[in-house]
């Protein structure tokens, strides 16, 4: 998988930001661009608007985006982009390389890799999200309700279109790719409007 390459480069980058005492860090892909001119003011405004509650292991919410964040695939938080307090970013991205970090999820040495837990393969972005859940002292129960609570309590999901993301790859001429299409009234991505419903209603009827 690409996870080890991504971890190596991202950990180095965030550690460099930490060494230079940057309060916030934004992790992106080098083949994606964001054209919103006030993106950092937007992010820090969201952090002030939605403060983190009652958490000793995280300083502020981690901001991610709808583009690549799944509504129904458990722990499917995109690894394309993330913004947050540099200390939280170090914790999220500072996990072990895959071969070592996946061991707690293997029932035996013969368990296929990636292991399938709750119907999802624990690989790539799911591996990252579940490892951070464990870091927060929460045991994964592999339910969609826990995943939604996780997003509600520790993250903020913003719309990729609001960030004016450009990615010259995979169906680039398709509007709202990986987010919605107009054949389906129930989009598969977690959008900001969905996250707000989680934040306010606690219980949703999707």
């Amino acid at each position: 998988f690409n996870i080890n390459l991504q971890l190596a480069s991202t950990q180095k980058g965030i550690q460099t930001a930490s060494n230079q005492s940057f309060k916030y860090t934004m992790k992106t892909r080098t083949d994606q661009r964001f054209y919103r001119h006030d993106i950092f003011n937007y992010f820090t405004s969201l952090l002030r608007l939605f403060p983190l509650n009652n958490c000793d292991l995280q300083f502020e919410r981690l901001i991610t985006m709808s583009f690549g964040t799944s509504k129904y695939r458990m722990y499917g938080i995109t690894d394309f982009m993330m913004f947050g307090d540099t200390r939280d970013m170090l914790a999220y991205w500072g996990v072990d390389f895959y071969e070592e970090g996946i061991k707690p999820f293997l029932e035996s040495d013969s368990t296929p890799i990636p292991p399938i837990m709750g119907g999802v393969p624990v690989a790539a972005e799911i591996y990252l999200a579940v490892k951070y859940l464990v870091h927060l002292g929460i045991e994964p129960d592999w339910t969609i309700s826990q995943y939604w609570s996780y997003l509600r309590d520790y993250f903020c999901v913003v719309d990729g279109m609001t960030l004016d993301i450009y990615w010259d790859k995979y169906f680039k001429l398709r509007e709202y790719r990986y987010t919605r299409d107009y054949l389906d009234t129930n989009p598969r991505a977690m959008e900001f409007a969905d996250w707000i419903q989680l934040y306010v209603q606690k219980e949703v009827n999707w």
Side-chain angles (χ1 to χ4, degrees), residues 137-189:
I138 304 170
E139 184 69 24
D141 66 8
W142 310 102
T143 64
I144 200 72
S145 59
Q146 184 188 60
Y147 170 49
W148 289 343
S149 296
Y150 183 35
L151 283 174
R152 179 194 69 214
D153 295 339
Y154 300 100
F155 295 85
C156 179
V157 182
V158 301
D159 291 335
M161 294 296 288
T162 300
L163 305 181
D164 201 359
I165 183 175
Y166 176 75
W167 193 25
D168 190 17
K169 191 175 183 180
Y170 303 139
F171 313 110
K172 66 178 181 179
L173 298 181
R174 181 178 295 174
E175 190 177 25
Y176 302 125
R177 58 182 167 160
Y178 302 134
T179 303
R180 64 165 65 241
D181 64 55
Y182 294 101
L183 297 176
D184 189 350
T185 58
N186 189 11
R188 307 295 293 179

Side-chain angles (χ1 to χ4, degrees), residues 16-197:
T16 297
S18 178
N19 293 344
Q20 296 185 28
S21 301
F22 284 102
K23 179 173 175 56
Y24 295 109
T25 300
M26 180 178 178
K27 184 271 183 197
T28 67
R29 288 176 56 122
T30 56
D31 61 349
Q32 292 181 345
R33 299 198 297 270
F34 297 87
Y35 284 104
R36 185 174 187 90
H37 68 282
D38 58 352
I39 190 169
F40 298 117
N41 285 335
Y42 175 49
F43 286 161
T44 54
S45 296
L46 287 171
L47 293 179
R48 290 194 295 271
L49 187 61
F50 301 106
L52 197 64
N53 296 317
N54 303 320
C55 182
D56 296 330
L57 297 174
Q58 185 172 328
F59 295 94
E60 296 186 80
R61 291 181 182 275
L62 290 168
I63 296 177
T64 187
M65 66 174 173
S66 59
F67 190 54
T69 297
S70 301
K71 184 188 285 187
Y72 298 107
R73 185 178 62 167
M74 290 179 291
Y75 315 111
I77 301 171
T78 188
D79 58 0
F80 291 164
M81 187 285 294
M82 187 171 285
F83 175 91
D85 187 295
T86 300
R87 296 167 293 181
D88 296 326
M89 292 288 284
L90 279 172
Y92 191 93
W93 293 93
V95 299
D96 293 326
F97 281 176
Y98 188 78
E99 294 82 356
E100 184 65 28
I102 199 64
K103 288 181 179 178
F105 303 106
L106 303 178
E107 294 182 356
S108 69
D109 292 339
S110 61
T111 301
I113 295 178
I116 307 298
M117 309 289 288
V120 295
V122 187
E125 65 270 25
I126 294 172
Y127 169 72
L128 292 167
V130 172
K131 293 293 283 189
Y132 189 67
L133 187 71
V134 173
H135 164 78
L136 294 173
I138 304 170
E139 184 69 24
D141 66 8
W142 310 102
T143 64
I144 200 72
S145 59
Q146 184 188 60
Y147 170 49
W148 289 343
S149 296
Y150 183 35
L151 283 174
R152 179 194 69 214
D153 295 339
Y154 300 100
F155 295 85
C156 179
V157 182
V158 301
D159 291 335
M161 294 296 288
T162 300
L163 305 181
D164 201 359
I165 183 175
Y166 176 75
W167 193 25
D168 190 17
K169 191 175 183 180
Y170 303 139
F171 313 110
K172 66 178 181 179
L173 298 181
R174 181 178 295 174
E175 190 177 25
Y176 302 125
R177 58 182 167 160
Y178 302 134
T179 303
R180 64 165 65 241
D181 64 55
Y182 294 101
L183 297 176
D184 189 350
T185 58
N186 189 11
R188 307 295 293 179
M190 179 69 68
E191 299 177 272
F192 183 66
D194 301 313
W195 183 83
I196 282 289
Q197 292 174 60

